[in-house]
Amino acid sequence: MSKRKSMMQEDSSYLSQHYEEQVRPCIDLVDSLRSLGVEQDLALPAIAVIGDQSSGKSSVLEALSGVALPRGTGIVTRCPLVLKLKRVSNGTAWSGLLSYQKDFRLFKQELKNPAEVGDAVVKAQNALAGEGKDISHNMINLEIHGTNVPDLTLIDLPGIARVATGNQSHDIEEQIKRLIQTFIKKQETISLVVVPANVDIATTEALKMAKTVDPDGQRTLGILTKPDLVDKGAEEGVVNTLRNEVIPLKKGYMVVKCRGQLDINDNMSLTKALDKEKKFFVDHSHFRIFLDEGQASIPHLSQRLTKELVYHINRSLPKLEKQVRDKLEQTNTQLINLGKGVPQDEAERLNFLIEKINRFNQALTDMARAEEEIGDSQSRVFTKIRKQFSGWKQTLDKKATLLGEHLRDEVDEFRSQRGKELPGFVSYRTFEGIVKRHVEELEEPAKELLQNTTEIISTAVNDTSKSFFEAFPNLMRAAKDPLEDLRDQEYEKAEERLASQFKMERIIYSQDGLYSHQLQTVKSNPFPKHFKNADVREMTYHLNAYFAITSERLANQVPLVVQYHMLEEYTTRVKAAMLSLIRHKDADSFIQEKSDIAKKRSYLLGRMERLRKARQVLAKSVLTT
Ligand code: GDP
Ligand code: MG
């Protein structure tokens, strides 16, 4: 026999001799996971107690724990109360520990005597949920070590109130239901639904809620209370419920009798109440059978719950391990994305800044070389620019086609404006006039090309700076000026260059050799029939030849100017400006992190730590079971 003797073992039916080997390690495992704090990261197996107001939840918990919990009318339980019961060997003194977290601080209170529990819980509730009647999602932990408690962790939840009273919020029922929902919807939670035996169970809100999250009742156990208040003649209905014939649940129903109001007024002890309960069932003509079958009384409930919890824990273990693994991976990715923290040492801080800027600059280099990393949905900056450039080429080609179609009209038009030359004589001036007009018309689309390309590059550079510097508002601010100023400067230069290019295009020029060659090519093409007039035909040849050359020149030159200034020069100058920030007098302030980033990192680091430990705990448990 183990060294841990307990009163429970005196009752041979109460615990199997495998208790120490099977039950204890299981519950210890979950408790040690819980004490790592992983409950905030993943769901741990637990038993939650739910029920309508005054259904007897607190009475059941009291009977199981041997500790008087706060009572009264209205909503007495206003925060989830995690009741961790731990059985200790005979001779060990009773002890309790109440704790809760508020505003990132942990409050702890040691309790020497069960009588202190009620007040301590009320005080904690007032601290968390306010002095009024409102509820809070913050949990209160109450750990109790006693020789006559079962090894169990139970969560007491506020009772479902139908109507708001006094200074309660009007939606109090909704609030409470939401709170209950967060617990019972988890697959890891067994719901104990407490229902008075003297009411129609179909009308109880708690059972309805449990049904919606667990339709087959796989994780729901029904607890009937107040069997002593069942009217004479109504016992058969209760018996049917207990036989699982009314609202069937996979886990079925149990019945317990706790202290009634009179017993409490008389200060009846919880031990005495257990005796009274036993006598009640033994003497009861309808319910006695359920005591014999292990379906009635607090000791049987306590035994059953421990068994359920152990079963549940064993079943949840593989899933729990997977949860830990997934969460670890996820947390790790989040940490990597957040980047390393800023070092304290001065020299290291400077290196940190240099490193940060270098990585940003490298990203710009990659962008200019069309080698940058991109997400699935995005395309490279250069791909976008290339689209703009080919759009420009299309504009030029379209111009050439139009030119071919309307040339005769244009030549006629120019001839009608002729000066002193003889009719039928096509002058060089006409040729020049037509060329100039068409080249001029291209200046606006060229400017648009510059604008669009600048927009694309500027957006990309800003996005890059955001992704690298977002956590550092000062650095972000310092980078903003050069990013904008240099862009505007290069834009102006490019604009000027394009303007002078178009100015130059007003001079009709081509290398003789190139021109003759182009003219030959044009002449070798079949000529549209409607050009009957020979000199119009000649003029058309010349215009086509010349325009082919101009078009080719502009097709290359304009994108080259745009790319040179807006991509090459702009990014090169931004990189230089970023590097010069290193020597800025406020350089150190540039790497001051946004405070919430630092907070988030330390939170994630904490979570990593907890999960790693949880993984170890779980790995060990697999080895030993
Ligand atoms: P809660 O609001 O669900 O926590 O309900 P309580 O545990 O505070 O119980 C409500 C009332 O029902 C209290 O006056 C209890 O004394 C009484 N009560 C609880 N269980 C029983 C029982 O088995 N028999 C009798 N007669 N009264 C009970
Ligand atoms: Mg209560």
Side-chain angles (χ1 to χ4, degrees):
M1 257 291 136
S2 84
K3 59 181 191 296
R4 206 187 303 273
K5 276 203 202 127
S6 75
M7 76 142 211
M8 307 292 187
Q9 282 166 336
E10 287 153 27
D11 178 354
S12 61
S13 73
Y14 193 72
L15 286 171
S16 76
Q17 66 233 55
H18 297 306
Y19 181 86
E20 288 295 330
E21 293 110 70
Q22 289 185 352
V23 177
R24 194 73 194 186
C26 232
I27 289 170
D28 280 350
L29 170 66
V30 173
D31 276 341
S32 55
L33 288 176
R34 197 171 269 120
S35 64
L36 291 175
V38 287
E39 203 138 34
Q40 39 181 318
D41 312 313
L42 27 104
L44 292 176
I47 298 178
V49 183
I50 66 171
D52 297 4
Q53 233 176 60
S54 289
S55 55
K57 296 177 300 298
S58 300
S59 303
V60 171
L61 283 168
E62 269 182 2
L64 288 169
S65 65
V67 173
L69 294 170
R71 307 174 154 266
T73 49
I75 306 183
V76 179
T77 309
R78 299 193 292 128
C79 300
L81 174 71
V82 181
L83 193 59
K84 298 178 195 176
L85 305 175
K86 296 209 161 198
R87 204 152 47 84
V88 290
S89 49
N90 276 345
T92 309
W94 185 96
S95 72
L97 178 69
L98 181 132
S99 64
Y100 61 91
Q101 253 190 339
K102 198 188 174 197
D103 306 329
F104 298 110
R105 280 180 60 203
L106 181 69
F107 291 82
K108 274 186 178 179
Q109 185 185 354
E110 277 181 34
L111 307 167
K112 294 265 178 302
N113 163 353
E116 295 171 25
V117 170
D119 276 353
V121 171
V122 169
K123 255 169 59 193
Q125 284 192 2
N126 287 343
L128 289 173
E131 304 264 339
K133 287 281 170 200
D134 288 330
I135 61 159
S136 160
H137 284 237
N138 293 326
M139 289 199 267
I140 300 172
N141 283 295
L142 178 58
E143 193 169 317
I144 285 170
H145 294 230
T147 50
N148 56 356
V149 297
D151 271 303
L152 264 186
T153 299
L154 300 158
I155 303 170
D156 188 18
L157 292 165
I160 302 169
R162 297 298 179 84
V163 273
T165 59
N167 49 358
Q168 263 165 21
S169 324
H170 62 283
D171 63 340
I172 191 77
E173 179 179 357
E174 272 315 304
Q175 284 186 35
I176 293 174
K177 281 185 175 173
R178 268 203 299 277
L179 172 59
I180 292 176
Q181 203 86 26
T182 59
F183 282 88
I184 64 173
K185 74 173 181 218
K186 290 181 195 159
Q187 290 303 312
E188 291 73 14
T189 304
I190 300 177
S191 310
L192 284 195
V193 183
V194 176
V195 184
N198 58 344
V199 305
D200 176 5
I201 64 162
T203 66
T204 57
E205 204 58 37
L207 196 56
K208 277 186 216 159
M209 280 189 75
K211 274 271 179 193
T212 54
V213 292
D214 177 28
D216 305 334
Q218 300 269 15
R219 333 179 256 112
T220 306
L221 177 65
I223 311 288
L224 300 184
T225 54
K226 313 185 187 179
D228 51 319
L229 300 183
V230 174
D231 283 340
K232 283 263 170 305
E235 296 94 343
E236 272 314 310
V238 179
V239 168
N240 290 340
T241 299
L242 283 165
R243 292 261 178 253
N244 215 4
E245 285 161 3
V246 182
I247 297 179
L249 299 171
K250 277 264 161 57
K251 292 199 185 296
Y253 292 81
M254 294 192 73
V255 58
V256 297
K257 188 190 103 56
C258 300
R259 294 184 301 179
Q261 199 52 53
L262 277 179
D263 303 328
I264 293 163
N265 295 349
D266 286 353
N267 256 331
M268 179 195 281
S269 76
L270 286 163
T271 342
K272 179 86 196 301
L274 282 181
D275 292 341
K276 211 179 149 189
E277 182 197 38
K278 188 166 178 185
K279 189 166 158 24
F280 169 79
F281 283 119
V282 168
D283 292 345
H284 203 285
S285 52
H286 290 85
F287 301 151
R288 190 199 155 102
I289 172 91
F290 296 106
L291 182 67
D292 298 340
E293 290 175 0
Q295 233 182 308
S297 85
I298 287 288
H300 280 145
L301 174 61
S302 149
Q303 186 183 355
R304 170 83 191 271
L305 290 181
T306 304
K307 217 172 82 193
E308 287 291 346
L309 189 60
V310 167
Y311 169 76
H312 199 61
I313 291 170
N314 280 324
R315 232 187 42 165
S316 315
L317 272 184
K319 230 182 85 191
L320 202 60
E321 278 191 292
K322 188 175 152 27
Q323 267 193 62
V324 170
R325 241 184 298 129
D326 291 352
K327 200 92 193 183
L328 256 175
E329 207 169 293
Q330 191 191 332
T331 312
N332 198 28
T333 314
Q334 282 174 331
L335 267 173
I336 289 171
N337 288 348
L338 223 51
K340 276 179 280 173
V342 180
Q344 296 301 314
D345 177 81
E346 206 177 312
E348 277 179 46
R349 282 174 75 85
L350 187 63
N351 280 338
F352 183 88
L353 177 63
I354 294 172
E355 169 81 358
K356 198 122 208 83
I357 288 175
N358 276 340
R359 281 180 46 206
F360 169 74
N361 283 357
Q362 185 58 47
L364 288 194
T365 306
D366 291 347
M367 190 182 91
R369 286 191 195 149
E371 287 170 357
E372 77 266 32
E373 292 203 15
I374 43 165
D376 295 338
S377 58
Q378 291 176 314
S379 53
R380 290 219 157 85
V381 171
F382 207 82
T383 314
K384 290 182 196 155
I385 298 176
R386 198 177 283 131
K387 246 187 225 148
Q388 294 292 324
F389 289 173
S390 74
W392 168 244
K393 180 77 171 63
Q394 275 165 18
T395 309
L396 290 171
D397 291 347
K398 216 157 89 197
K399 189 97 216 155
T401 330
L402 274 177
L403 199 66
E405 284 167 10
H406 302 290
L407 215 50
R408 195 174 54 133
D409 298 346
E410 278 193 73
V411 174
D412 279 349
E413 188 194 323
F414 267 93
R415 274 204 319 196
S416 69
Q417 297 164 4
R418 75 197 151 98
K420 62 178 192 182
E421 65 262 37
L422 294 168
F425 191 89
V426 181
S427 77
Y428 186 69
R429 259 226 310 250
T430 303
F431 172 78
E432 213 177 16
I434 294 176
V435 166
K436 274 187 194 165
R437 178 200 280 180
H438 284 278
V439 169
E440 242 165 49
E441 278 175 13
L442 287 168
E443 192 161 352
E444 208 40 50
K447 264 192 199 162
E448 262 170 43
L449 173 71
L450 172 63
Q451 275 165 9
N452 294 344
T453 312
T454 304
E455 183 67 38
I456 291 169
I457 294 168
S458 177
T459 306
V461 171
N462 286 341
D463 288 353
T464 310
S465 80
K466 208 163 153 196
S467 76
F468 278 85
F469 305 145
E470 198 172 25
F472 306 90
N474 293 340
L475 185 53
M476 190 83 171
R477 232 170 285 134
K480 190 172 173 270
D481 279 350
L483 250 51
E484 284 176 5
D485 294 350
L486 294 173
R487 178 198 60 203
D488 295 347
Q489 284 172 21
E490 289 304 318
Y491 182 85
E492 266 170 42
K493 283 189 209 163
E495 209 177 22
E496 260 167 45
R497 276 222 183 174
L498 290 182
S500 56
Q501 179 71 35
F502 279 95
K503 231 182 199 165
M504 287 189 285
E505 293 294 345
R506 284 194 221 152
I507 303 170
I508 308 299
Y509 176 75
S510 176
Q511 288 280 355
D512 290 348
L514 281 176
Y515 189 73
S516 315
H517 178 73
Q518 189 61 46
L519 197 60
Q520 256 176 359
T521 317
V522 171
K523 282 186 173 172
S524 66
N525 288 338
F527 203 85
K529 283 193 207 69
H530 58 271
F531 290 108
K532 291 179 215 103
N533 189 318
D535 47 63
V536 169
R537 192 183 330 171
E538 195 57 26
M539 170 67 106
T540 307
Y541 282 140
H542 280 285
L543 281 170
N544 277 342
Y546 187 77
F547 209 79
I549 286 169
T550 312
S551 173
E552 200 171 295
R553 193 159 55 211
L554 291 176
N556 285 320
Q557 184 68 3
V558 171
L560 197 62
V561 167
V562 171
Q563 193 183 329
Y564 173 72
H565 284 289
M566 300 326 298
L567 196 61
E568 304 300 328
E569 279 297 281
Y570 176 44
T571 54
T572 305
R573 292 183 66 195
V574 164
K575 286 189 277 188
M578 292 307 297
L579 280 177
S580 75
L581 287 181
I582 293 165
R583 288 183 305 275
H584 195 285
K585 62 177 171 38
D586 299 328
D588 197 65
S589 80
F590 292 159
I591 50 171
Q592 228 161 51
E593 271 188 303
K594 245 199 246 173
S595 66
D596 54 340
I597 298 269
K599 257 192 213 139
K600 188 168 174 198
R601 181 183 300 104
S602 83
Y603 171 75
L604 288 174
L605 282 171
R607 169 177 278 180
M608 280 297 270
E609 177 83 9
R610 288 194 295 274
L611 290 169
R612 282 214 189 93
K613 281 186 187 153
R615 190 172 57 183
Q616 274 171 13
V617 169
L618 282 169
K620 257 190 232 149
S621 85
V622 172
L623 291 179
T624 52
T625 50

